[in-house]
Amino acid sequence: MRTHQSGEPPVTAERSAGGVLSRLRAVDWGDWTAAFEHARSRALLMREYLRRSAQWARHYGAESVWPFFDIAEHVDDSVCLSPDVASELDAFLRGGIGPYPVERTVAGAVRWAELRCQERTDLPDLPDPYEPLLALYERGGGFHVDQAIDLNGVSLPRWDLGTAIAAPPFLTTATATLDALDSGAKGRVTYFALVDEGFPRERPLGLMRRRVVGREPVTRDESFGRNLRWEPTDYFGLYARGHNDTDHVEIPEIEAAAFIDRVILRIGPSRSS
């Protein structure tokens, strides 16, 4: 019997319905400062939630209620929480954590955890739909939906289902990686991979970013070092003067996140503290 979906960790107390509810109750739902500081990672996490939930919606014919819905309800509407967890969830939702899409996905995440604990063998091999959204909530609370999805610091367009499914995956919810993406990321940010023989774009030699800050733009060039911090670099100036043979290529933020994730896994997040 399959005990959990492919690529997912096994069900633990933290990932049980009660454990997920505890995570949600620990969120500061009014922390706009955290939302602004984590705007970049929260945008990536919301895009990944939309991608994953769109896959589940298409599989179970729930396109009409996507994107902010209770997925467990469409997998098996007989899923029930224990009386204690159900009572705690109801009390939590009555506390006013945010608009209906937030409440709906909070309840959905708790019920999803209950469904997963059943160790079902009939679930499709799709990624956990709610984990990116849980990480988003923990990094600055909820969101509002109008003409766009407002994350209190950045807004995202309301994708259609096909666009969401076709979006490139954002495969990490690791706190250290998300923190590195957000660290000092003020202004307009462009990422570059250092490439050389034996170090293609997919496995680059290093990672840099260029930030353009302020109304009278100031350019700041930084590299991601082995101490897991962004530090000033003169690479681009040296390259322009022909003093640097290592080349570079512009990459999207998701590829930058993948590089950071690999470095942190190799060196260890404790180095960033």
Side-chain angles (χ1 to χ4, degrees), residues 103-123:
E103 292 185 349
R104 188 65 170 154
T105 52
V106 162
V110 175
R111 284 171 43 79
W112 178 256
E114 180 63 31
L115 184 147
R116 290 184 68 254
C117 285
Q118 297 178 3
E119 300 185 352
R120 302 172 67 107
T121 59
D122 59 340
L123 295 179

Side-chain angles (χ1 to χ4, degrees), residues 195 218 225:
V195 295
V218 175

Side-chain angles (χ1 to χ4, degrees), residues 80-132:
C80 293
L81 300 173
S82 70
D84 287 347
V85 172
S87 177
E88 291 176 12
L89 176 60
D90 287 344
F92 179 57
L93 295 176
R94 287 197 301 271
I97 59 173
Y100 178 76
V102 174
E103 292 185 349
R104 188 65 170 154
T105 52
V106 162
V110 175
R111 284 171 43 79
W112 178 256
E114 180 63 31
L115 184 147
R116 290 184 68 254
C117 285
Q118 297 178 3
E119 300 185 352
R120 302 172 67 107
T121 59
D122 59 340
L123 295 179
D125 189 17
L126 294 173
D128 185 314
Y130 288 110
E131 187 58 35

Side-chain angles (χ1 to χ4, degrees), residues 2-232:
R2 186 176 66 185
T3 58
H4 61 282
Q5 289 172 260
S6 176
E8 292 184 17
V11 176
T12 62
E14 185 183 46
R15 293 172 64 84
S16 68
V20 169
L21 180 55
S22 293
R23 286 178 64 183
L24 290 162
R25 292 172 69 179
V27 170
D28 184 344
W29 295 92
D31 190 353
W32 284 24
T33 298
F36 276 91
E37 289 177 348
H38 298 144
R40 292 184 177 276
S41 63
R42 279 166 52 88
L44 289 168
L45 291 165
M46 176 58 78
R47 291 188 179 103
E48 179 62 9
Y49 165 74
L50 294 173
R51 186 187 75 88
R52 295 186 186 191
S53 64
Q55 292 177 321
W56 286 92
R58 174 165 288 179
H59 185 87
Y60 284 101
E63 292 94 335
S64 63
V65 293
W66 178 83
F68 305 113
F69 67 116
D70 181 345
I71 298 174
E73 186 177 81
H74 294 270
V75 177
D76 183 351
D77 60 9
S78 69
V79 173
C80 293
L81 300 173
S82 70
D84 287 347
V85 172
S87 177
E88 291 176 12
L89 176 60
D90 287 344
F92 179 57
L93 295 176
R94 287 197 301 271
I97 59 173
Y100 178 76
V102 174
E103 292 185 349
R104 188 65 170 154
T105 52
V106 162
V110 175
R111 284 171 43 79
W112 178 256
E114 180 63 31
L115 184 147
R116 290 184 68 254
C117 285
Q118 297 178 3
E119 300 185 352
R120 302 172 67 107
T121 59
D122 59 340
L123 295 179
D125 189 17
L126 294 173
D128 185 314
Y130 288 110
E131 187 58 35
L133 203 56
L134 291 172
L136 179 149
Y137 289 148
E138 291 171 330
R139 298 181 71 78
F143 57 89
H144 300 268
V145 180
D146 195 357
Q147 298 302 312
I149 302 172
D150 182 358
L151 299 175
N152 296 327
V154 65
S155 293
L156 300 178
R158 296 185 63 175
W159 285 344
D160 59 46
L161 192 91
T163 300
I165 289 176
F170 180 61
L171 299 178
T172 182
T173 57
T175 300
T177 300
L178 300 176
D179 285 348
L181 281 175
D182 291 327
S183 179
K186 308 300 182 185
R188 180 163 52 86
V189 181
T190 307
Y191 294 94
F192 299 89
L194 280 175
V195 295
D196 205 346
E197 184 177 355
F199 294 95
R201 172 175 173 166
E202 295 75 18
R203 293 278 174 175
L205 185 61
L207 175 68
M208 296 173 299
R209 70 183 184 187
R210 168 164 284 179
R211 298 191 295 117
V212 180
V213 185
R215 293 184 178 179
E216 297 183 3
V218 175
T219 298
R220 303 188 186 280
D221 296 331
E222 298 159 332
S223 63
F224 190 71
R226 291 180 60 82
N227 61 356
L228 309 184
R229 298 180 187 277
W230 294 100
E231 297 181 334

